Amino acid sequence: MSESEFLRHEPCPSCGSSDANSLYSDGHSYCFSCHTYTPGEDAVEHIHQMTTSISMRGSAERLHKRRISEKVCKQYHIHKDGQVLRFYYFSESGVLEGCKSKTKDKLFTYEGNVPGTLFGQHLFPATGKRVVITEGELDAASCQEAMPGWPMVSLPSGAASAKKAIQRAIPWLQGYEEIVLFFDNDAPGRKAAEEAASVLPPGKVKIASLKDDYKDASDALSNNDSDALRRAIWDAREYRPDGIVDGKSLLELVTTPTPPADHEYPFRGIQNKLHGIRYGELVTITAGSGIGKSSFCRELATDLLNKGERVGYLALEESNRRTALGLMSAAVGKSLHIGEHDRKTLTDAYEKTLADWNLYLFDGFGSFDPDLIYNRIEYLATGLDAKVIFLDHLSILLSGLDGDERRMIDTTMTRLRSLVERTGVAMFLVSHLRRTSNDTPHEEGARVTLGQLRGSAAIAQLSDGVIALERDQQATSKRGDTTVRILKNRYSGEVGVACNLSYDLASCKFNETQAEPEFDATTDF
């Protein structure tokens, strides 16, 4: 049985490191960043046994290429022994316990006890203003060169064991007011810093990072850029778990001018109340059955499409032919979806609308699997850059689920709200109303309230705006007009009747009329 020999450094497929993976002549490889061992076909079995006693070998010398002085090597007990570097580890009380050796080919071995402390920990008191923890021993020594006298220590086994090493050192670290994690400038290093920070006392941890020119602290000092090390440590950002944002960091966000809206509503009364359509908002449209929710959505969509907006339209209750003809009808002012029309008429309408619009429809082939629909909405937003999404309607989306309706609506609204926030789209969601105990049903003009949204309070809570349509289907003349009522308005708080709309069946258009003042008991007597 022969020992395998080191061949070369390669990228690591496990952690993504560019050169930490070492390949040997028998085919096995070992990554010194993430500690992943991959056996080869003719791999030699190695047995590592820790010795019970060790003695110092080699001597502290200046490391010219690393620009680390003899003084710092003596301080940290970094010895050069031929082509091998030895890093000696001590207990907190200063007793020599082990040695980590590194060959020129980055082969690491241990003698004595496995390090139970951070490298260099014995050199500094268990109390102080600030301590810096690096990923490797040479990084700690490099930082000491840049900032002499500062407590600079390192992990004993790299990024892969960062969390465990930090946990063991917590009793010692608790005495410091500030703990700076200064790990390698790569994905494993950044991940290790986040994991290590999560187990340290809240409010004490900062994470330092180098500019992209350097891999780690030793690399920066080797390039004679000690200023980069000092800047990284001084400018270390305070660690906060995901989701926590310091208000002081929001200057650019709050001072960048933004328009009050990205589009205006086509109806002046609604525009005056809601002050426009904004990306990143979820607006629910509700009404009784047959009142005109879908027609109202088509009117909004065609107005946006004619302005050049990119629109995603998911009409789950009808075919794409019906949706397309409905949108074309609203745009050209002719009921193309009713009766027979010759091909030329339809082609002319198509050329004026669909052929020129940035419109994307959903063809679910009769499938209402919610996960599929969420996926397609996200693709519309991120893959096709659709800025406004219409989803008609919520009840059909829920039909693909089994269970308690209220819980399903809670979950669905939370997912839709999250999707809107994540993608930044404006979404119009159609929702049904539950039947009331009043004598007058919604189909005969009953007033709509937020509490009547079907199934769950989450619809109202998670919507930025709620628009209700009220109409008596059996009425004639003016009494058959649709009253548009704003039930919720997170932007400005203005609610109430916005306008009246009359629908022309011949042109498939809504015509706006001014709403009659509502009765007010405080002023009308």
Side-chain angles (χ1 to χ4, degrees), residues 53-289:
S53 62
I54 61 169
S55 59
M56 289 192 180
R57 286 184 284 171
S59 60
E61 301 176 17
R62 177 178 176 81
L63 303 179
H64 294 278
K65 289 184 178 180
R66 301 280 184 172
R67 296 183 184 273
I68 298 175
S69 65
E70 180 182 345
K71 176 184 177 182
V72 169
C73 286
K74 282 183 177 180
Q75 178 184 0
Y76 279 89
H77 293 285
I78 300 174
H79 287 193
K80 192 172 181 182
D81 184 15
Q83 296 296 311
V84 177
L85 276 181
R86 302 188 184 278
F87 307 97
Y88 289 97
Y89 278 79
F90 296 78
S91 68
E92 288 187 60
S93 58
V95 177
L96 177 61
E97 289 193 330
C99 175
K100 176 180 174 182
S101 299
K102 175 187 176 184
T103 69
K104 189 177 181 180
D105 299 324
K106 291 189 177 181
L107 178 62
F108 291 91
T109 57
Y110 290 94
E111 300 174 57
N113 296 324
V114 175
T117 59
L118 301 173
F119 179 71
Q121 181 176 325
H122 69 289
L123 298 173
F124 306 102
T127 181
K129 173 70 176 175
R130 182 182 294 107
V131 60
V132 177
I133 305 173
T134 65
E135 191 171 318
E137 293 89 352
L138 292 176
D139 297 322
S142 298
C143 289
Q144 185 64 219
E145 287 287 352
M147 304 178 77
W150 279 48
M152 306 288 186
V153 296
S154 88
L155 303 173
S157 302
S161 61
K163 186 175 180 180
K164 289 183 179 179
I166 295 294
Q167 285 175 321
R168 288 195 300 267
I170 283 178
W172 180 75
L173 292 170
Q174 284 177 330
Y176 285 89
E177 297 177 25
E178 185 177 297
I179 302 166
V180 179
L181 303 178
F182 193 1
F183 295 173
D184 287 5
N185 192 25
D186 55 18
R190 289 188 286 271
K191 180 182 178 183
E194 294 287 334
E195 291 177 349
S198 69
V199 301
L200 287 167
K204 279 191 173 186
V205 186
K206 290 188 174 182
I207 296 179
S209 59
L210 286 162
K211 56 185 179 180
D212 293 338
D213 299 12
Y214 304 118
K215 180 181 180 295
D216 52 32
S218 179
D219 185 30
L221 187 65
S222 297
N223 285 277
N224 200 28
D225 195 354
S226 56
D227 282 344
L229 299 181
R230 288 188 284 268
R231 283 197 304 272
I233 293 171
W234 282 121
D235 296 341
R237 59 180 176 83
E238 184 177 347
Y239 167 76
R240 289 186 179 85
D242 289 342
I244 305 300
V245 179
D246 186 348
K248 297 183 182 66
S249 69
L250 300 180
L251 175 64
E252 193 66 24
L253 183 65
V254 300
T255 57
T256 301
T258 56
D262 296 288
H263 291 286
E264 290 192 355
Y265 282 92
F267 307 110
R268 182 51 45 192
I270 301 176
Q271 174 65 26
N272 289 340
K273 289 281 190 186
L274 294 178
H275 302 280
I277 298 168
R278 283 167 289 276
Y279 300 143
E281 289 192 352
L282 172 60
V283 176
T284 296
I285 298 167
T286 189
S289 180

Side-chain angles (χ1 to χ4, degrees), residues 424-495:
V425 299
M427 178 177 287
F428 288 95
L429 172 68
V430 175
S431 176
H432 286 178
L433 295 168
R434 61 178 174 83
R435 297 198 175 276
T436 67
S437 57
N438 298 333
D439 292 336
T440 306
H442 292 116
E443 289 74 21
E444 295 180 17
R447 178 173 174 174
V448 179
T449 66
L450 275 178
Q452 294 167 352
L453 286 164
R454 180 173 171 176
S456 170
I459 300 174
Q461 291 167 352
L462 296 177
S463 297
D464 293 287
V466 179
I467 301 173
L469 308 179
E470 301 167 353
R471 180 169 65 89
D472 183 354
Q473 290 177 318
Q474 305 302 316
T476 58
S477 187
K478 284 284 186 182
R479 296 183 64 84
D481 285 356
T482 299
T483 298
V484 180
R485 186 184 301 275
I486 308 302
L487 300 180
K488 180 179 181 181
N489 180 357
R490 183 172 281 149
Y491 180 74
S492 69
E494 298 168 80
V495 295

